[in-house]
């Protein structure tokens, strides 16, 4: 229903703000991604679930840091499947999200040229 869609959209906005503002530590943010992601799947809100995946992947990459931005360098297998799906479905918004959060990750690592 519309109430569930709006709740999941609000969860997406909440996660975006928490990640981009740095208000929450990465370990807690990872738990929130897991919780909201499971709820999105449970309520069949797959669009919102797909939109949180690039952010979720950057959080995981930062927690398991190798010292380089994985999302844009093409060394991130999760990103490849998300990006392939976005391109295949002509989902420009999801594709944009992948590049946006990849740029954020590159910026965090100080790779300004890649960002």
């Amino acid at each position: 229903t519309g109430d569930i869609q709006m709740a999941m959209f609000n969860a997406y906005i909440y996660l975006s703000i928490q990640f981009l503002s740095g208000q929450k530590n990465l370990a807690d943010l990872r738990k929130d991604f897991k919780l909201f992601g499971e709820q999105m799947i449970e309520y069949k809100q797959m669009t919102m679930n797909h939109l949180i995946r690039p952010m979720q992947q950057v959080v995981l990459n930062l927690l398991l840091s190798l010292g380089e931005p994985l999302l844009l360098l093409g060394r991130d297998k999760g990103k490849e499947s998300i990006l392939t799906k976005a391109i295949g479905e002509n989902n420009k918004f999801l594709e944009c999200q992948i590049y946006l959060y990849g740029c954020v990750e590159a910026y965090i690592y100080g790779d300004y040229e890649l960002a």
Side-chain angles (χ1 to χ4, degrees), residues 1-113:
T1 70
D3 291 341
I4 292 173
Q5 288 175 331
M6 187 54 69
M8 295 304 134
F9 178 73
N10 287 332
Y12 163 75
I13 296 298
Y14 168 80
L15 292 168
S16 298
I17 290 169
Q18 293 299 308
F19 175 70
L20 291 172
S21 70
Q23 292 180 3
K24 205 167 215 182
N25 72 56
L26 292 174
D28 289 342
L29 195 54
R30 180 181 183 184
K31 291 175 190 174
D32 286 351
F33 274 109
K34 185 177 185 329
L35 172 72
F36 288 120
E38 288 171 354
Q39 289 177 349
M40 289 170 180
I41 291 170
E42 178 182 344
Y43 290 106
K44 297 176 178 51
Q45 299 297 308
M46 300 314 292
T47 299
M48 289 298 122
N49 183 264
H50 290 147
L51 290 178
I52 68 167
R53 288 180 64 198
M55 278 187 290
Q56 184 177 23
Q57 192 62 53
V58 171
V59 168
L60 289 173
N61 291 351
L62 292 169
L63 283 169
L64 307 171
S65 178
L66 298 174
E68 62 182 359
L70 299 175
L71 199 63
L72 285 181
L73 289 178
R75 296 191 184 114
D76 187 324
K77 299 301 178 196
K79 184 250 351 181
E80 290 176 12
S81 64
I82 300 169
L83 183 58
T84 301
K85 183 178 180 85
I87 292 169
E89 294 175 355
N90 198 29
N91 187 338
K92 299 298 183 193
F93 188 73
L94 178 57
E95 191 176 343
C96 178
Q97 294 287 296
I98 294 166
Y99 290 122
L100 170 70
Y101 290 107
C103 288
V104 169
E105 183 183 21
Y107 180 81
I108 289 170
Y109 282 110
D111 193 339
Y112 304 121
E113 186 175 321

